[in-house]
Amino acid sequence: NAGVTQTPKFRVLKTGQSMTLLCAQDMNHEYMYWYRQDPGMGLRLIHYSVGEGTTAKGEVPDGYNVSRLKKQNFLLGLESAAPSQTSVYFCASRTINGTSGSSTDTQYFGPGTRLTVL
Amino acid sequence: AQSVAQPEDQVNVAEGNPLTVKCTYSVSGNPYLFWYVQYPNRGLQFLLKYITGDNLVKGSYGFEAEFNKSQTSFHLKKPSALVSDSALYFCAVRLLWAAGNKLTFGGGTRVLVKP
């Protein structure tokens, strides 16, 4: 299994441009998440999904949109990029099988996408 | 609301010495607590978690963490640090019934183990 993969690994945008980050997982996980990582601020949740066709806002959703058309994919879109969106973006997934707190109660992370907005 | 604090931005330790990375949390309810590690240019990797039961939790790579309810802490420890333990460490918390099982992360602590 490849686990959680992210495309692209790096990207440079100009202010106002748009782009989509792709997250794919081959573990048949129900839940998927998008985080951004900024120095000293840890990871902050942007949006998440508890299943195909459903999405919900996280802690910092403004300026981002997401879609979960297929169970294995979770897309993060920036419609009009701003320099404040310069960050490293991580996708994660987890299963809901098993009881909460069991060995399955773990998020699996992708390698990240480094985005710079000029 | 739930929050996590990692009071140290960086911890320096000599190889072979004990390593401690501090974490305190604030939640209204019983917490699930996690430690993740991030090596350079990589995603986060799960180290260990506390759900219930024994306050001392053992995890990967010789790490352990102690849950202290009265002090609302969950410090990560390793008896003898290795140079390869140099990485960024994140503490995280969630509540049992958090929507989407969302995690709240601390700001991270960079660990530098010197030979």
Side-chain angles (χ1 to χ4, degrees):
Chain A
N1 289 349
V4 180
T5 58
Q6 293 183 231
T7 309
K9 289 184 170 53
F10 305 93
R11 186 72 185 270
V12 178
L13 292 178
K14 294 182 180 179
T15 296
Q17 288 185 316
S18 63
M19 79 163 294
T20 300
L21 282 67
L22 170 64
C23 176
Q25 52 93 5
D26 61 1
M27 297 174 284
N28 202 34
H29 284 174
E30 290 77 14
Y31 290 7
M32 296 186 74
Y33 309 84
W34 274 109
Y35 295 92
R36 58 178 289 171
Q37 182 182 24
D38 302 291
M41 303 186 74
L43 275 74
R44 292 180 292 169
L45 184 64
I46 304 171
H47 286 280
Y48 65 98
S49 168
V50 299
E52 183 178 325
T54 70
T55 63
K57 294 181 180 179
E59 182 184 358
V60 288
D62 293 344
Y64 305 95
N65 57 77
V66 288
S67 64
R68 183 101 181 265
L69 299 180
K70 294 182 179 180
K71 186 178 184 179
Q72 63 267 34
N73 294 339
F74 194 29
L75 278 64
L76 178 70
L78 286 73
E79 291 185 348
S80 180
S84 61
Q85 294 177 305
T86 293
S87 187
V88 181
Y89 292 85
F90 287 99
C91 176
S93 71
R94 60 152 285 170
T95 183
I96 61 170
N97 291 328
T99 57
S100 192
S102 72
S103 60
T104 58
D105 192 356
T106 302
Q107 290 188 17
Y108 294 84
F109 284 80
T113 295
R114 187 174 296 275
L115 175 66
T116 302
V117 183
L118 303 176
Chain B
Q2 55 197 45
S3 64
V4 178
Q6 294 181 242
E8 301 158 314
D9 290 336
Q10 181 160 325
V11 170
N12 298 320
V13 63
E15 188 174 32
N17 282 1
L19 169 63
T20 297
V21 186
K22 296 179 180 178
C23 171
T24 58
Y25 65 91
S26 175
V27 296
S28 54
N30 293 323
Y32 286 4
L33 295 156
F34 301 78
W35 275 102
Y36 283 83
V37 60
Q38 184 182 28
Y39 297 103
N41 301 313
R42 302 285 296 275
L44 277 68
Q45 296 178 28
F46 170 77
L47 270 181
L48 51 80
K49 64 186 175 189
Y50 171 81
I51 304 300
T52 186
D54 194 346
N55 289 343
L56 185 63
V57 179
K58 294 187 183 297
S60 306
Y61 312 122
F63 283 93
E64 58 188 28
E66 186 168 11
F67 171 64
N68 188 319
K69 188 172 184 178
S70 63
Q71 297 185 1
T72 62
S73 67
F74 189 56
H75 301 330
L76 181 70
K77 299 180 181 182
K78 186 171 184 179
S80 179
L82 301 172
V83 172
S84 57
D85 293 328
S86 298
L88 190 55
Y89 291 80
F90 291 97
C91 183
V93 65
R94 78 167 181 88
L95 291 174
L96 174 61
W97 304 115
N101 295 139
K102 292 179 292 182
L103 292 175
T104 298
F105 286 87
T109 298
R110 189 167 300 279
V111 170
L112 180 60
V113 182
K114 298 181 179 180

